[in-house]
Amino acid sequence: MVDTQNMEMDIEKILEELTLEEKIKMIHGCGLFKTEGVKRLNIPSLKMSDGPMGVRAEFKNDEWTPAGNSEDAVSYCPSNTAIASTWNRELAGKAGSILGEEARGRGKDVILGPGINIKRTPLCGRNFEYYSEDPYLVSELVVPCIEGIQQNDVAACVKHFAVNGQETERLWVNVELSERALREIYLPGFKAAIKKAKSKTIMGAYNLFRGIHCCESSELLGDILRKEWNYDGVIISDWGAVHDTVAVAKSPLDIEMSITYNFDEYCMANPLIDKIKDGSVDIKYVDEKVRNILRLMMRLNMIEYKDGRIEKCKDRKAGSYNTPEHRQDILEVARQAVVLLKNNDHVLPFNKKDTDKVLVIGENAIKAHANGGGSAEIKALYEITPFLGIVKLLGGNTEVTFAKGYESSVYDEGNNDVNWQADSLKSNEENVTDTCNDKSEESCKARELREEAVRLAKEYDKVIFVGGLNHDYDIEGRDKKDIRLPYEQDVLIKELVKANENTVVCIMAGSAVDMSEWQNEAKTIVYYPYNGMEGGTALAQVLFGEVNPSGKLAETFPYESSRILKNDEEAYPGRKVTDEEKQRMNAILTQEYKEGIFVGYRYYEKYNIPVAFPFGHGLSYTTFKYSDISIQEDEKNILVELKVKNTGDFDGYETVEIYVGERNISEDNPVKELKGFEKVWLKKGEEKTVHIDIAKDMLIHYNEQNRRWELKNTEYIIYAGSSSKDIRQSKVITL
Ligand code: BGC
């Protein structure tokens, strides 16, 4: 246990010994992923690495070129979208502890994740790195994840703080939103990460918030983070998110990182020394940053202060990577992340024993995804693709045939630039990815592939299509133009389900895609997010009934025609700033979160807009019956209790989702909101009583007028459901 008082005294002593130049070296990048230490005093450099899906490969210190090492291959973890689809706090914790242990094993001090921005629109290119559209689900998963990371003497760096909901002009988009939307939707995840999980570092976002760049915002970093949340950890900038020396020096940001190699020219490098020397910035601001960094180093057991000297702490955990235990946990996350969206006529599960031959179609069946997506890319030790997963599950007595059906390279798009990060700060007017469906000229190659797949589909009883997106679409730095499937997959899937009505359609994507062209015709649809190194094993196990699916959507799948924030430029991606605005803010676009708190299901429910698959939806091979809901209250909590029985033929998990809404819904409140969930394992025929406590505090809403949280004294409905739409039990209470 670190003695806080002594630690603070030690920090003061160290501070006295440091020169201005030495302090400055500690507060900015001197390599793409590290700060400089102070050798003279034994202060080490702080080493960081991306990211949310595993520890990124090494880069050269001063060039965005892979170092070419062989020892930086690591475990590839399921994406945050996958983790969220498990609705399993324990698995979020395990994923975190893998990240932390591997980061430490690779010698890192800070792992740049988890990414927890709210999925405001499915168009955002980085959605696969984020959990959900719902702030409660985000908060519940981020806490165990960060605790898991930090058990390993490694700091989490929860990102990107805040309202970083799009990639279009990500550095130059100003976000305006109501205080209520900020407090109720966009901050809760970060607050949980800081207050509950005690994230040791946090990353400031690229965008502007109310006219000021997030990394220089005294409102965001000062008033909210430091003062309201009492944060004494380290605030790190996103790479290149700092723009003004004096502003950032005076702001609570501690470390400036960037993507350029002119480390001495960073705002918080030589330019800051000049500003201190000419009196425009007081050294006290720098001291505060150094204090926070030294505190972080002590908390991470990097250093200790003994007999007036800094020493390397001998007790620091060493970490480990690529362990069999990590792979096992990664497989379990992947299994629970697979979401069965539709399964008419019980097409699934396939019976392995009566399977002589299977046809697998689609590029995603054979494509590895680890090495893509932007800074979340991973040099995976290995990645089991769905095709490999299926073949290895079935063994040598089954004939498994593969037909591509479509091929991304035919369409000549995407981002194959290995050095993309070096250019990633440039404004890009065209930074959306077109799904290319409107190409009128269909290439011969595409037609040939499709015709072959459709012809074969008629000859097989078991046909599995594996398609969806890849990291040309789910990628950092660009949004999607729409949510349709690329590479003319809609045409292919329509023809496949016509040729063989039992075709199982598996779609991989980092957030909602449009399935409206074939959703009604396809009997069986499976969704799985970027699912880590054992993703193919997990998918095969679900398809062949070795695992009963239990994933649920952590976001709504809308119909393309319904609102995905596409039709109002002011709301998304933002309108061009006026000349007057240009005078006062460093932005190209400005946008207003006009929907306020009505994000995701809160929006679709309020305006009664039908969706393709609702938030929280996911089927099982078995069925569950809910009964006997009862509600007790104590001073602080609403205690919900109900029975859930497995009434089908498979053992399995069910996630009971608890929503709360006013009985007479007021104009400015959502119909209902997720306030609790519990994932329970039930054997065939088994019944369990599920208890879920909801703190009454969680029903408060932010009153914009008097800037206060208020609990409305009224009647509420407590809903227990298998999804936000499939409500099985409810009860009215009066508070
Ligand atoms: C991304 C961050 C990432 C950083 C370092 C930035 O472009 O936005 O999420 O951690 O690069 O690679």
Side-chain angles (χ1 to χ4, degrees), residues 52 80 112-117 129-131 157-160 190:
N80 274 353
L112 305 172
I116 65 162
N117 292 99
E129 291 188 57
Y130 305 146
Y131 288 122
C157 185
V158 62
K159 65 189 187 185
H160 308 86
F190 287 104

Side-chain angles (χ1 to χ4, degrees), residues 453-468:
V454 173
R455 180 179 55 75
L456 285 169
K458 293 181 185 152
E459 296 167 15
Y460 283 74
D461 324 323
K462 296 196 167 73
V463 178
I464 302 166
F465 170 78
V466 189

Side-chain angles (χ1 to χ4, degrees), residues 33 50 56 64 112 126 129 159-160 170 203 206 238-239 259 375 420-421 424 476:
F33 287 99
D50 284 300
R56 197 174 179 187
W64 285 104
L112 305 172
R126 281 186 98 169
E129 291 188 57
K159 65 189 187 185
H160 308 86
R170 62 179 176 160
M203 188 186 291
Y206 277 131
D238 201 342
W239 270 229
I259 60 162
S375 59
W420 67 273
Q421 204 153 4
S424 69
E476 179 172 339

Side-chain angles (χ1 to χ4, degrees), residues 335-380:
R335 286 172 175 148
Q336 294 196 32
V338 177
V339 186
L340 182 62
L341 292 177
K342 186 175 174 190
N343 192 24
N344 289 4
D345 300 339
H346 302 288
V347 172
L348 287 181
F350 289 143
N351 184 343
K352 180 176 158 182
K353 290 207 186 89
D354 72 351
T355 303
D356 283 335
K357 52 179 206 165
V358 181
L359 174 64
V360 180
I361 300 168
E363 190 180 72
N364 270 348
I366 56 163
K367 191 173 175 75
H369 297 277
N371 192 23
S375 59
E377 68 187 9
I378 290 300
K379 192 202 261 188

Side-chain angles (χ1 to χ4, degrees), residues 116 142-143 146 158 161 187-203 224-226 228-235:
I116 65 162
V142 73
V143 171
I146 290 177
V158 62
F161 190 60
L187 290 187
F190 287 104
K191 188 173 179 186
I194 296 302
K195 302 269 301 178
K196 281 201 194 152
K198 311 243 174 296
S199 188
K200 292 187 167 78
T201 77
I202 184 169
M203 188 186 291
I224 296 176
L225 186 54
R226 292 283 190 218
E228 266 184 52
W229 300 350
N230 266 329
Y231 188 56
D232 66 357
V234 168
I235 309 175

